[in-house]
Amino acid sequence: MCQGLSYNQTIVPNLLGHTSQREAVTRMSFFNSITQSVCSVDIRLFLCRVYAPECVAGQVRRPCRSFCENAKRACEGLMNSFGVSWPHELQCSSFSEDSCKSSNEPTKGENCSAWLHL
């Protein structure tokens, strides 16, 4: 799902604590039909930035709260129509709005080491 994005390096464990890209792929498979429906132009990139966070200059770039809210707002209705709720692990309140204000600034203190294979 994350192939062909504008980045090719990520971190393991990811933002949700998945310890391998294989585990992340398994968890992301839940969203395959959602991303194919194109309910939001942001959903694929948002999910990839959570499950396979972008790394820039060796630092993690986290998704921000408003990016999450845009993806959720656009896709939550479709998910609800299938009897599925927005996942608790992706609650937008867990993402900082600060990273939106400085979207080009990667998070300090985390080092990237894995090449993206998702």
Side-chain angles (χ1 to χ4, degrees):
M1 177 185 306
C2 299
Q3 293 295 318
L5 294 176
S6 61
Y7 64 96
N8 63 4
Q9 198 173 18
T10 189
I11 189 169
V12 176
N14 65 14
L15 301 183
L16 301 175
H18 303 137
T19 57
S20 71
Q21 288 190 31
R22 179 173 288 187
E23 181 181 7
V25 167
T26 300
R27 299 292 178 102
M28 285 180 78
S29 65
F30 169 81
F31 294 100
N32 282 339
S33 59
I34 300 298
T35 58
Q36 290 174 6
S37 75
V38 194
C39 55
S40 164
V41 296
D42 295 328
I43 191 68
R44 179 174 166 245
L45 183 57
F46 168 70
L47 292 171
C48 289
R49 285 193 173 172
V50 171
Y51 288 89
E54 179 179 11
C55 291
V56 176
Q59 301 296 316
V60 176
R61 185 176 288 170
R62 297 172 176 271
C64 66
R65 182 176 302 149
S66 60
F67 192 46
C68 174
E69 289 168 347
N70 289 340
K72 179 180 179 181
R73 185 173 30 256
C75 295
E76 191 172 33
L78 176 65
M79 292 174 71
N80 290 340
S81 72
F82 289 111
V84 178
S85 299
W86 187 259
H88 180 71
E89 62 188 13
L90 298 180
Q91 291 306 308
C92 299
S93 60
S94 66
F95 300 101
S96 170
E97 193 60 27
D98 291 341
S99 58
C100 291
K101 295 175 186 140
S102 57
S103 61
N104 293 324
E105 291 295 320
T107 302
K108 304 288 186 221
E110 296 175 295
N111 294 315
C112 303
S113 58
W115 289 101
L116 184 61
H117 297 291
L118 300 178

